[in-house]
Amino acid sequence: MLIWLQFIACTVLIVFCGSRLSQYGDVIAEKSGMGRTWIGVVLMASVTSLPELITGISSVTLFHVPDIAAGDVLGSCMINLLILAVLDVGRRKPPISSQAHQGQILTAAFGILLLGVTGISIVGGNAIPTAGWIGISSFVALALYLVAMRTIFKYERKRVSEFLSAVAEESRYEHLSKSDIYRRFGLCALAIAAAGMYLPHVADQ
């Protein structure tokens, strides 16, 4: 029972702080002038992946449970895609996929490639060559990710007019200060990281 309570506590903390991050990210987009699209792609995507990052690191280095690390990351991909379907069910509007910008096709395509590399590396197992202790597939995945980021960045640069219109959106958070929002955002990110670090131990138990 105690282990289940610890698991629930970690989950609740991640859900609570994650929901706050969405609002704080919106405020930072307005205060910084970088635009909501850019904040969503770079800042929010990075911070909301902290649980997977910290869980993966602690699973392998601290608790030596690689199945937890792989299951967490790949399972998160499945859940994230399921979220799009769930969001569609709760809306009385056109499907999200029909409203998302066509540039998301690039993100989806590179995601499929990265998942393919991961699947091949798992199937290949020890047959996949290594450079020292690092699998060749890891270098391929890193290279694909860097190419994806560069490609998406170049594509987004062509949409300058949309970026400028996002910056020019009406201010909604004049009553909040930059320092306060950055502090709240940082605290939520740290809380998610801490819960993500402890979660593999609880899951293994």
Side-chain angles (χ1 to χ4, degrees):
M1 180 61 68
L2 180 60
I3 292 175
W4 279 108
L5 289 176
Q6 293 178 47
F7 183 83
I8 293 172
C10 287
T11 304
V12 169
L13 182 61
I14 290 174
V15 170
F16 175 79
C17 292
S19 63
R20 294 289 182 177
L21 283 177
S22 298
Q23 180 187 6
Y24 298 155
D26 190 38
V27 179
I28 290 174
E30 180 182 296
K31 297 289 185 180
S32 65
M34 288 188 289
R36 291 175 171 86
T37 300
W38 184 247
I39 288 294
V41 170
V42 178
L43 186 62
M44 294 303 299
S46 300
V47 173
T48 53
S49 294
L50 278 177
E52 289 78 21
L53 174 63
I54 302 300
T55 297
I57 292 174
S58 58
S59 294
V60 175
T61 59
L62 298 179
F63 306 113
H64 309 292
V65 282
D67 281 332
I68 293 289
D72 174 61
V73 174
L74 296 177
S76 177
C77 291
M78 296 174 62
I79 288 291
N80 286 336
L81 294 175
L82 177 64
I83 288 173
L84 292 177
V86 173
L87 290 175
D88 262 348
V89 172
R91 287 162 47 97
R92 293 186 178 180
K93 297 180 180 180
I96 294 175
S97 57
S98 68
Q99 295 181 307
H101 195 274
Q102 292 297 302
Q104 298 294 345
I105 295 175
L106 284 173
T107 308
F110 278 110
I112 291 171
L113 288 174
L114 285 166
L115 283 172
V117 170
T118 303
I120 291 172
S121 66
I122 293 175
V123 171
N126 293 329
I128 302 295
T130 62
W133 66 90
I134 305 174
I136 296 298
S137 58
S138 296
F139 291 108
V140 174
L142 176 61
L144 275 174
Y145 180 80
L146 294 176
V147 170
M149 289 299 99
R150 177 172 174 77
T151 303
I152 294 170
F153 175 74
K154 291 176 67 176
Y155 178 83
E156 288 296 324
R157 287 187 63 183
K158 296 179 181 179
R159 302 172 57 212
V160 175
S161 59
E162 181 176 336
F163 174 76
L164 291 177
S165 65
V167 173
E169 287 178 2
E170 182 182 357
S171 177
R172 294 185 293 177
Y173 304 105
E174 292 182 353
H175 60 289
L176 298 174
S177 66
K178 279 186 179 181
S179 59
D180 186 42
I181 289 302
Y182 290 148
R183 179 179 59 81
R184 294 184 189 183
F185 190 92
L187 287 175
C188 284
L190 286 175
I192 289 176
M197 183 179 295
Y198 186 65
L199 200 56
H201 172 68
V202 179
D204 187 43
Q205 293 297 314

